[in-house]
């Protein structure tokens, strides 16, 4: 009986037993009832598998149920099971099959789920199991993913501005593998991930896009279904301004250095003063057919001037302003577009006849 394991029954038959009574009558009998159970080996559990009730069964977040499934040898008392250092609810589902379950909470430590199964048989033999037989595992994730970096810029020469046809890029990175949802200027952009695992999204500006600073939103979801907060401002405070409006002249004045401001003679200086409706990056001015000197007096105020030369044509002073704004839109503004008082050049000395 040294290596026996399981039920043991004894049958006493009338022949071959060698057992007789005092009168020489042979003993007759049947199989003993009940049988004797011999449990000389520790209880076993095989297979052992672990999973969660999340869509990805190898991941779990707070609220998910972790399930440990195992099959044991016979004559087992109800197993004692812990899942991630906490006692699990154990249910016998038939044919020596068991399921142990526990709900993940916010206080659980992140990482691989640990477990222990303690088996005790009817003879008080014990066994302990702490690994699966099929390499299954569950990872607990209780932390919301974070957007670690974000930046927006355009393909315009000035990346802070965009006009029709320009591309606006929004780049960002996350603290872990995620799936993002992104909006740029109210649109769903094209989205991809580069070789550095940085996310890049972009739209092409259309003529019907709203003028102004581009609004953005980024939200990501990690592999266990935990969402990040919605990001609406970039980490580096970058912005892009969609501009469909060409620069305009708000006020313009043409005068001369002559005591008669609307008259100019040889060597007098002609001044063209104007205000733009926005900041300009380039301004070129022609006065009386000559390239004028241009000075910026303030963010939107400008002064252009030139001197009347012998070759300057007499008569009404013509002028033009070519201006480019920060986004690259430009306007040509001419004297014929304005109703301001004119200046007349007179370089001919009077003749006494």
């Amino acid at each position: 009986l040294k290596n026996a394991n399981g039920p043991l029954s004894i049958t006493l038959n009338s022949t071959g037993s060698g057992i007789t009574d005092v009168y020489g009558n042979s003993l007759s009998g049947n199989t003993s009832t009940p049988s004797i159970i011999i449990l000389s080996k520790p209880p076993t559990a095989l297979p052992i598998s672990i999973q969660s009730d999340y869509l990805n069964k190898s991941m779990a977040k707070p609220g998910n149920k972790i399930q440990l499934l195992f099959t044991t040898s016979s004559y087992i008392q109800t197993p004692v099971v812990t899942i991630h250092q906490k006692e699990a609810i154990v249910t016998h589902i038939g044919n020596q099959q068991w399921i142990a379950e526990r709900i993940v909470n916010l206080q659980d430590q992140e990482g691989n789920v640990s477990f222990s199964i303690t088996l005790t048989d009817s003879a008080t033999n014990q066994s302990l199991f702490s690994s699966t037989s099929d390499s299954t595992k569950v990872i607990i994730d209780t932390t919301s993913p974070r957007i670690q970096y974000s930046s927006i810029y355009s393909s315009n020469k000035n990346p802070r501005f965009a006009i029709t046809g320009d591309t606006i890029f929004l780049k960002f990175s996350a603290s872990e593998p995620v799936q993002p949802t992104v909006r740029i200027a109210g649109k769903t952009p094209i989205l991809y991930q580069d070789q550095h695992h940085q996310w890049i999204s972009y739209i092409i500006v259309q003529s019907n896009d709203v003028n102004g600073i581009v609004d953005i939103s980024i939200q990501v979801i990690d592999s266990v279904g935990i969402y990040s907060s919605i990001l609406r401002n970039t980490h580096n405070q970058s912005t892009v301004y969609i501009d469909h409006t060409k620069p305009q002249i708000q006020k313009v004045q043409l005068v001369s250095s002559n005591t008669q401001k609307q008259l100019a003679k040889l060597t007098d200086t002609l001044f063209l003063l104007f205000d733009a409706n926005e900041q300009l990056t380039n301004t070129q001015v022609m006065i009386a057919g000559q390239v004028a000197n241009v000075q910026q007096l303030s963010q939107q105020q400008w002064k252009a001037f030139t001197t009347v030369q012998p070759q300057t044509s007499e008569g009404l002073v013509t002028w033009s302003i070519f201006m480019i704004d920060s986004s690259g839109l430009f306007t040509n503004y001419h004297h014929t577009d304005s109703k301001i008082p004119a200046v007349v050049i007179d370089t001919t000395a009077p003749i006494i006849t």
Side-chain angles (χ1 to χ4, degrees):
L1 298 177
K2 182 178 180 181
N3 296 314
N5 199 69
L8 174 66
S9 60
I10 300 175
T11 303
L12 297 179
N13 297 315
S14 58
T15 59
S17 65
I19 302 174
T20 61
D21 63 13
V22 294
Y23 300 104
N25 298 312
S26 297
L27 180 67
S28 65
N30 298 308
T31 303
S32 60
T33 303
S35 302
I36 298 172
I37 307 299
I38 298 176
L39 299 173
S40 61
K41 296 180 180 179
T44 60
L46 189 73
I48 302 173
S49 181
I50 193 169
Q51 64 182 30
S52 83
D53 65 352
Y54 182 61
L55 183 63
N56 180 347
K57 295 185 180 298
S58 66
M59 302 295 295
K61 67 178 185 298
N64 287 143
K65 182 185 295 182
I66 298 175
Q67 299 173 319
L68 190 62
L69 301 99
F70 55 97
T71 301
T72 66
S73 52
S74 301
Y75 310 107
I76 296 297
Q77 301 175 26
T78 299
V80 176
V81 180
T82 64
I83 297 178
H84 221 52
Q85 291 83 50
K86 292 185 180 178
E87 187 175 353
I89 297 173
V90 181
T91 304
H92 185 213
I93 56 178
N95 297 324
Q96 302 307 122
Q97 294 180 321
W98 305 81
I99 182 169
E101 299 177 316
R102 184 168 89 73
I103 303 297
V104 179
N105 58 54
L106 280 170
Q107 288 70 45
D108 282 321
Q109 184 176 354
E110 292 189 311
N112 286 324
V113 172
S114 60
F115 68 87
S116 68
I117 303 171
T118 302
L119 300 182
T120 304
D121 64 19
S122 300
T124 69
N125 296 308
Q126 279 195 340
S127 297
L128 179 65
F129 302 89
S130 59
S131 60
T132 61
S133 60
D134 58 2
S135 299
T136 53
K137 66 179 180 178
V138 173
I139 298 174
I140 290 178
D141 183 0
T142 61
T143 304
S144 298
R146 292 177 297 103
I147 300 168
Q148 295 178 312
Y149 172 79
S150 58
S151 175
I152 189 170
Y153 61 94
S154 82
S155 61
N156 193 284
K157 288 183 178 180
N158 186 339
R160 297 183 297 110
F161 290 84
I163 61 176
T164 301
D166 284 342
T167 302
I168 297 175
F169 296 93
L170 178 60
K171 290 186 176 182
F172 59 95
S173 58
S175 57
E176 58 181 291
V178 295
Q179 187 59 45
T181 299
V182 182
R183 301 282 287 177
I184 302 176
K187 299 177 180 180
T188 300
I190 294 173
L191 180 67
Y192 66 94
Q193 204 170 13
D194 66 14
Q195 66 270 27
H196 304 295
H197 304 291
Q198 179 176 238
W199 289 94
I200 302 173
S201 58
Y202 67 90
I203 64 167
I204 297 175
V205 178
Q206 306 297 320
S207 59
N208 59 350
D209 285 328
V210 178
N211 241 53
I213 293 178
V214 174
D215 61 281
I216 64 167
S217 69
I218 307 172
Q219 187 176 39
V220 298
I221 182 173
D222 66 14
S223 55
V224 293
I226 302 177
Y227 285 90
S228 71
S229 57
I230 298 176
L231 180 76
R232 301 191 185 278
N233 296 291
T234 59
H235 286 75
N236 63 355
Q237 306 304 313
S238 56
T239 59
V240 170
Y241 188 98
I242 292 179
D243 188 4
H244 297 304
T245 306
K246 292 182 177 182
Q248 299 174 359
I249 295 295
Q250 292 182 317
K251 183 173 69 174
V252 63
Q253 181 183 16
L254 178 66
V255 295
S256 80
S257 60
N258 196 288
T259 54
Q260 299 294 320
K261 298 298 183 184
Q262 303 312 124
L263 297 174
K265 67 180 189 307
L266 195 66
T267 72
D268 281 346
T269 302
L270 300 170
F271 295 96
L272 186 63
L273 307 171
F274 60 96
D275 293 353
N277 66 330
E278 59 180 299
Q279 188 170 358
L280 304 175
T281 59
N282 189 7
T283 305
Q284 298 173 14
V285 180
M286 298 286 291
I287 302 176
Q290 299 170 184
V291 177
N293 298 304
V294 180
Q295 292 180 348
Q296 186 174 6
L297 304 179
S298 66
Q299 186 173 3
Q300 295 175 212
Q301 291 183 319
W302 298 79
K303 177 176 74 174
F305 58 93
T306 189
T307 302
V308 178
Q309 305 291 332
Q311 67 271 24
T312 304
S313 298
E314 291 186 311
L316 292 175
V317 173
T318 61
W319 53 267
S320 66
I321 304 170
F322 175 78
M323 48 190 179
I324 302 176
D325 67 12
S326 300
S327 64
L329 295 174
F330 62 88
T331 299
N332 270 312
Y333 202 74
H334 300 274
H335 65 280
T336 55
D337 300 319
S338 172
K339 296 180 180 180
I340 63 171
V343 172
V344 176
I345 295 175
D346 182 1
T347 57
T348 304
I351 299 174
I352 300 175
T353 59

